[in-house]
Amino acid sequence: MPAIGTGELAALSTAALWAVSCQIHAILSRRLGAHTLILLRLPICIVMFGAWWGASVLFFGGGVMVPGSFGSPSPLALAALALSGVFGVALCDLLFYSGVVLVGARVALLVQSLSTVITAVLGYLFLGEAIGPLGIAGILIATGGVAWVVGDGGTVPEGAVPLSRTVRLRGVGLAFASALALSGGMVLSKQGLAEGVDPLFAALLRMVVAMGVFWPTAMLTGRLRPALAVVRGDSQDRRNFRWLLVASLIGPVVGVWLSLVAIGATQTGIAATLIGLEPIFIIPVAALVERRWPTPRAIAGAGIAFVGTALLCLRNVL
């Protein structure tokens, strides 16, 4: 059996950190609301990513273009990356955490994992990417596993809305809509990155554009002032804000860095498969935090969904 290398360890660490970060964000979304969570998280991530990208430019020779690429990104590539920020960051996160408030992080994250399936289909339709028999099998298995979990009533996460059928369907629908938005953002990102744009710069640009859309909208609708009040609120608000700083650091920053290490140190399909373990990792994390273990059906369904996702990600490797 081959030894686990740096890329595999980085991918597993990414999945684990993203699961922990997602659970923290899930708790905060129930305490603060999805809008407030996104409004506060975006500038935090921009500052962290901006410092990271600036350090890469100053000390490691990074830049807008990946070393070895030629020319500069076209306006079309930058527009695609900017638009991906609207769909893949602002809209995706708002829909996802709105769903989390209703059905909890575990179910919402599993439903959102269908973004891999949706992205493969969009890549086939618009980018000419092949899926193949193994990929089709993976799509069917992953979709079946998620559907099996969604059909399980399960238990109610602490602090979440009681799961009536209407509430559950609404939460699942929001999570699925976030998967659609995430997939659209990924396809647009591929078009921008195809010209050799630095992935760190691309991630920063996407967040800046997302904030440029989200904050003015919140200001017009009266949501911005209450969100900012959390920063200078009571002790509970300040405690929530500190947890938001921690979650933003370990997820969108350290987690993204480890994912880039994983992609660079091992095959993309293997890295994507191991990072796809996030819905599995969040099962024990959510159970420990919420003190409720999911049903055996939910655990089995998550495992089946992961097998399907793995087949889809590894279709060009196996």
Side-chain angles (χ1 to χ4, degrees), residues 80-162:
L81 288 172
L83 195 57
S84 76
V86 176
F87 287 97
V89 179
L91 184 59
C92 171
D93 283 359
L94 178 60
L95 290 168
F96 176 71
Y97 288 108
S98 296
V100 164
V101 171
L102 300 179
V103 296
R106 179 180 56 81
V107 174
L109 187 59
L110 184 63
V111 174
Q112 195 192 57
S113 70
L114 287 176
S115 63
T116 304
V117 170
I118 299 169
T119 302
V121 174
L122 292 177
Y124 172 77
L125 294 175
F126 299 107
L127 302 179
E129 297 177 352
I131 296 180
L134 198 61
I136 293 175
I139 288 174
L140 295 176
I141 293 171
T143 305
V146 171
W148 202 34
V149 173
V150 168
D152 177 34
T155 56
V156 182
E158 187 174 353
V161 178

Side-chain angles (χ1 to χ4, degrees), residues 18-260:
W18 281 355
V20 173
S21 176
C22 180
Q23 184 60 44
I24 296 174
H25 281 118
I27 295 171
L28 294 176
S29 67
R30 291 197 288 266
R31 292 178 181 175
L32 304 174
H35 280 86
T36 297
L37 176 73
I38 306 305
L39 284 169
L40 294 178
R41 194 180 77 161
L42 280 171
I44 292 171
C45 291
I46 287 172
V47 170
M48 292 179 176
F49 257 105
W52 183 11
W53 182 68
S56 73
V57 172
L58 291 174
F59 301 109
F60 303 104
V64 176
M65 303 299 293
V66 173
S69 61
F70 300 95
S72 59
S74 66
L76 184 60
L78 293 177
L81 288 172
L83 195 57
S84 76
V86 176
F87 287 97
V89 179
L91 184 59
C92 171
D93 283 359
L94 178 60
L95 290 168
F96 176 71
Y97 288 108
S98 296
V100 164
V101 171
L102 300 179
V103 296
R106 179 180 56 81
V107 174
L109 187 59
L110 184 63
V111 174
Q112 195 192 57
S113 70
L114 287 176
S115 63
T116 304
V117 170
I118 299 169
T119 302
V121 174
L122 292 177
Y124 172 77
L125 294 175
F126 299 107
L127 302 179
E129 297 177 352
I131 296 180
L134 198 61
I136 293 175
I139 288 174
L140 295 176
I141 293 171
T143 305
V146 171
W148 202 34
V149 173
V150 168
D152 177 34
T155 56
V156 182
E158 187 174 353
V161 178
L163 297 184
S164 67
R165 181 177 177 83
T166 301
V167 168
R168 187 173 181 84
L169 287 176
R170 183 183 174 194
V172 169
L174 287 167
F176 183 73
S178 77
L180 289 172
L182 180 59
S183 298
M186 290 177 68
V187 171
L188 289 165
S189 294
K190 282 186 177 182
Q191 292 181 317
L193 293 171
E195 295 192 15
V197 177
D198 178 10
L200 284 180
F201 172 80
L204 178 60
L205 175 63
R206 295 173 77 228
M207 289 182 183
V208 170
V209 171
M211 183 174 172
V213 171
F214 209 77
W215 270 51
T217 303
M219 188 180 300
L220 292 174
T221 56
R223 294 180 182 271
L224 184 58
R225 188 184 294 259
L228 294 178
V230 173
V231 181
R232 290 181 285 182
D234 57 22
S235 58
Q236 181 61 48
D237 281 339
R238 292 194 298 271
R239 190 178 301 112
N240 289 334
F241 185 70
R242 287 194 294 270
W243 275 114
L244 181 58
L245 289 173
V246 171
S248 299
L249 177 63
I250 66 176
V253 178
V254 178
V256 168
W257 172 68
L258 286 171
S259 70
L260 294 175

